[in-house]
Amino acid sequence: MFTNYYTKMKRKSLYGIFSFFLILNACQKAAEKPPYTIVQSLVEDSAMVVAEHPLAAMVGKEILQKGGNAVDAAIATQFALAVVYPRAGNIGGGGFMVIRLANGESDALDYREKAPATAHRDMYLDGEGNVVESLSKEGHLSVGVPGTVAGKELAFQKHSKLKDWEQLLAPAIRLAAEGFLLTESEADRLNEYKEQFQKANPDARPFVKDGVWKMGDRLRQPDLARTLERIRDRGAAGFYEGETAEKIVAEMQRGGGLITLEDLKNYEARWRTPIIGRYKNYRVISMPPPSSGGIVLMQLLTMLEKFPLGSYGFQSAKSVHVIAEAERRAYADRAKYLGDSDFYPVPVDSLLDPAYLADRMQDFDSTKATPSEVVGPLVKIGVETFETTHTSVVDAAGNAVSVTTTLNLNYGSKIIVQGAGFFLNDEMDDFSAKPGVPNYFGLVGAEANAVGPGKRMLSSMTPTIVEKDSSLFLVLGAPGGSTIITAVLQTLLGVTDYGMTLDEAVWAPRFHHQWLPDAITCEDAAIDTLVRKQLRGMGHRLENVGRMALIKAVMVLPDGKLHGVGDNRNPDDDAEGF
Ligand code: DON
């Protein structure tokens, strides 16, 4: 039924024809046509990388072709994203990586930012105990100790096949030093944030220039190239110690930030035990705390398993109602129980216990919405577009990586480390500044996610890998703040329950409920008018938002080929494979 809604775009990449250098050198002048060919749905025999930007996806493919495994490709792709996708690709932020090796073993890597040692629970409150909203989102106090470089190094040490760190950094260094041609979307975004860059920085170059950026303009980042060279030469110590660390700390001192040399030196990425659960004949491997992603996703799948969603129909009133009701309950649990499990006893087993979840749905009424008002005030969700990065990779041996990394909002805190050329995150906003007061994404939290020294802020990032009948089936994840989890859920249900192909599932319009605010937020094209009327009749409030999370996924097809799909909500999402 759904199959013909979307135009298929299965084309071979033109990049096979051109080498990296040819593209970089041939396009010296501002181009009128988009500088890259972007493929958002691609089927290939052996290996696949899907990422936010074609140059980064190409880097991943190149590493795979040189004999690197999925972890090598993910590392190189993400370093490249730090150059070509500065709004969210980063070395000044943090993230999570979920890995499934071809032998079936899995791993989860946490390189989420941490609060500095002098951070404290009330640091975003004024004298009257009210939250000063901007403090956790803008400026130097919003910055958590970055984790990205430590995470990449740890992943490399444990899982690299190439064992050649320099080779993984080389493409990013080249792109930063020689420059690359801006896509229309990145040029627009840089123009949009020009004033904020100027306000936040004494020198906002190279991200600000006289006049406006245009598609095809070359962005060179010489300071970033030198920072990446220090990381190439010294590994994580090239970031957390020496010149880069000193520059970060000087930046903090300039703006009253808290991060010290000690904070940087003490930063550690950590291996975690993935959240693993079953849904029908699928096995789902996802991220544990400090992400809420894995727990909330598994809660949702467990609550929904007994409902025949497929026969209800995609975005029928019955389907939307039961999914929204499950989401309302899972996000209420998120607000109360989830935080950094190194600091707070997150009751993981209880939250995932099928008996508890059956109980949670006990008061589900198939005819009526359960109001959230009884448990909290209505809160408002932010309107800024959603920016983080996700990369899904499968290599020729069948290893898979799902990695999401973020600066939080676009260009994070907007602060560029002077002389080091990269943006710092504003991840501190993911803490609960005060119980019940929503963060940027409208998410509320409590004690479990209060600010604490050295603590990691709760995340919604949901890098996920799914097995079907014990074999690799689907690798997926997304940027999109609080909507990441529900986008992963809907994409998964699209292929498992609604009979969609992967591109249909990724490109289908989405909806989202997060307990508070008490509303189903919908993309414009989601849920047709009649169904919306039925849902309102059941007591649901519906609100439109521009767009939600941006899924990047790879699916193993029944014939063993790989289907890579980028999200058509981001014009730069690209799949590369061979
Ligand atoms: O970790 C989180 O949940 C958020 N900081 C992710 C932010 C995000 O996805 C921003 N873009 N939409």
Side-chain angles (χ1 to χ4, degrees):
M1 182 259 318
F2 205 86
T3 315
N4 295 323
Y5 274 37
Y6 297 96
T7 313
K8 302 262 175 75
M9 296 198 298
K10 295 192 171 89
R11 287 173 285 148
K12 287 261 181 186
S13 164
L14 293 182
Y15 289 130
I17 307 166
F18 302 109
S19 81
F20 221 29
F21 278 121
L22 268 179
I23 291 179
L24 288 177
N25 295 332
C27 310
Q28 290 296 344
K29 292 203 182 126
E32 284 179 3
K33 285 203 286 190
Y36 310 107
T37 301
I38 284 165
V39 179
Q40 298 200 313
S41 175
L42 178 70
V43 176
E44 289 287 3
D45 292 333
S46 308
M48 187 70 69
V49 182
V50 190
E52 252 87 6
H53 194 287
L55 289 175
M58 283 171 64
V59 164
K61 175 178 163 181
E62 189 182 292
I63 293 292
L64 291 173
Q65 283 170 327
K66 286 181 174 162
N69 63 11
V71 175
D72 291 313
I75 294 170
T77 302
Q78 293 256 317
F79 273 127
L81 279 171
V83 179
V84 300
Y85 200 71
R87 73 180 91 156
N90 69 81
I91 54 173
F96 303 118
M97 185 184 288
V98 171
I99 299 167
R100 181 189 181 275
L101 300 175
N103 65 8
E105 285 169 22
S106 53
D107 228 339
L109 178 60
D110 165 10
Y111 52 97
R112 181 72 161 165
E113 298 92 327
K114 294 178 93 163
T118 50
H120 55 93
R121 148 190 315 256
D122 297 335
M123 65 186 279
Y124 300 117
L125 305 186
D126 64 16
E128 260 109 66
N130 297 316
V131 174
V132 185
E133 260 211 42
S134 58
L135 282 185
S136 62
K137 298 183 189 65
E138 294 162 18
H140 294 71
L141 282 182
S142 71
V143 184
V145 183
T148 294
V149 179
K152 303 267 182 290
E153 186 178 72
L154 209 56
F156 173 79
Q157 286 166 347
K158 185 163 177 188
H159 288 296
S160 172
K161 180 170 168 233
L162 268 188
K163 307 271 182 238
D164 184 347
W165 180 249
E166 274 191 42
Q167 208 179 132
L168 302 187
L169 266 296
I173 294 171
R174 196 165 67 220
L175 286 162
E178 295 178 4
F180 67 98
L181 306 183
L182 292 176
T183 60
E184 186 173 19
S185 142
E186 197 64 51
D188 290 350
R189 207 49 68 90
L190 287 169
N191 292 330
E192 187 185 334
Y193 282 85
K194 179 173 183 172
E195 274 178 26
Q196 292 192 47
F197 296 158
Q198 287 170 323
K199 194 172 139 216
N201 298 285
D203 183 351
R205 286 174 302 172
F207 302 104
V208 162
K209 67 166 201 171
D210 293 338
V212 293
W213 290 106
K214 296 186 303 300
M215 175 175 68
D217 282 351
R218 181 173 292 269
L219 176 63
R220 288 191 179 80
Q221 301 174 76
D223 287 343
L224 178 58
R226 281 189 289 276
T227 302
L228 291 168
E229 282 168 0
R230 290 192 288 277
I231 296 168
R232 175 195 63 195
D233 297 341
R234 296 189 58 206
F239 183 88
Y240 293 95
E241 296 172 36
E243 190 178 338
T244 316
E246 280 155 23
K247 285 187 156 72
I248 295 172
V249 171
E251 185 55 56
M252 286 291 117
Q253 286 165 355
R254 181 176 74 74
L258 301 183
I259 298 174
T260 61
L261 285 175
E262 280 288 286
D263 285 321
L264 291 165
K265 199 153 182 229
N266 291 338
Y267 182 86
E268 275 187 331
R270 289 221 169 150
W271 290 107
R272 307 271 182 197
T273 307
I275 296 289
I276 297 183
R278 291 218 158 261
Y279 174 69
K280 301 185 174 173
N281 57 334
Y282 302 92
R283 184 167 174 263
V284 178
I285 306 163
S286 193
M287 196 64 212
S291 182
S292 61
I295 291 179
V296 174
L297 178 65
M298 266 329 300
Q299 285 193 304
L300 291 170
L301 289 169
T302 309
M303 285 191 268
L304 292 170
E305 187 163 6
K306 68 172 191 189
F307 296 92
L309 298 176
S311 66
Y312 288 173
F314 177 74
Q315 292 189 0
S316 64
K318 273 180 138 179
S319 272
V320 176
H321 175 58
V322 69
I323 292 172
E325 288 299 308
E327 290 177 352
R328 180 200 308 279
R329 287 160 175 81
Y331 276 77
D333 283 1
R334 180 194 192 279
K336 181 148 187 216
Y337 297 113
L338 297 192
D340 181 350
S341 49
D342 290 343
F343 286 73
Y344 183 87
V346 176
V348 181
D349 293 342
S350 309
L351 289 170
L352 295 178
D353 181 351
Y356 167 75
L357 292 165
D359 242 28
R360 205 72 179 89
M361 284 298 267
Q362 200 65 53
D363 59 348
F364 167 72
D365 181 334
S366 62
T367 62
K368 272 209 314 274
T370 325
S372 294
E373 283 97 334
V374 291
V375 275
L378 293 181
V379 291
K380 210 166 158 20
I381 194 166
V383 291
E384 186 175 341
T385 53
F386 299 124
E387 303 306 344
T388 287
T389 82
H390 182 83
T391 304
S392 292
V393 188
V394 177
D395 68 22
N399 302 298
V401 172
S402 184
V403 53
T404 315
T405 170
T406 187
L407 290 166
N408 196 25
L409 305 181
N410 274 308
Y411 307 100
S413 61
K414 313 338 176 222
I415 294 167
I416 303 159
V417 178
Q418 297 292 295
F422 61 91
F423 286 100
L424 288 169
N425 66 82
D426 60 344
E427 217 74 62
M428 294 292 282
D429 189 55
D430 278 345
F431 278 118
S432 170
K434 184 178 173 181
V437 176
N439 76 350
Y440 175 80
F441 295 104
L443 292 165
V444 291
E447 179 61 26
N449 191 32
V451 185
K455 192 172 175 187
R456 290 167 155 102
M457 55 297 280
L458 185 62
S459 173
S460 302
M461 292 187 284
T462 315
T464 298
I465 299 176
V466 183
E467 292 172 6
K468 182 179 182 185
D469 303 326
S470 307
S471 299
L472 179 65
F473 174 62
L474 186 61
V475 183
L476 78 171
S482 55
T483 68
I484 294 173
I485 310 170
T486 55
V488 168
L489 174 79
Q490 286 168 91
T491 307
L492 182 55
L493 294 178
V495 294
T496 58
D497 288 59
Y498 292 114
M500 296 179 185
T501 59
L502 185 61
D503 41 14
E504 288 168 345
V506 171
W507 300 343
R510 294 197 260 271
F511 65 92
H512 168 79
H513 200 303
Q514 60 177 42
W515 176 53
L516 297 176
D518 187 352
I520 302 175
T521 42
C522 309
E523 291 181 329
D524 292 343
I527 313 178
D528 72 37
T529 318
L530 188 64
V531 172
R532 285 185 183 220
K533 208 170 151 204
Q534 287 172 292
L535 289 164
R536 285 198 187 93
M538 294 166 118
H540 288 287
R541 195 156 63 91
L542 277 77
E543 281 181 359
N544 273 18
V545 291
R547 60 169 194 175
M548 293 189 190
L550 313 170
I551 293 278
K552 273 141 278 287
V554 182
M555 190 162 109
V556 182
L557 298 173
D559 63 1
K561 291 189 181 198
L562 300 173
H563 188 184
V565 177
D567 205 313
N568 60 1
R569 294 163 178 82
N570 173 29
D572 297 347
D573 266 23
D574 182 51
E576 296 286 332
F578 56 88

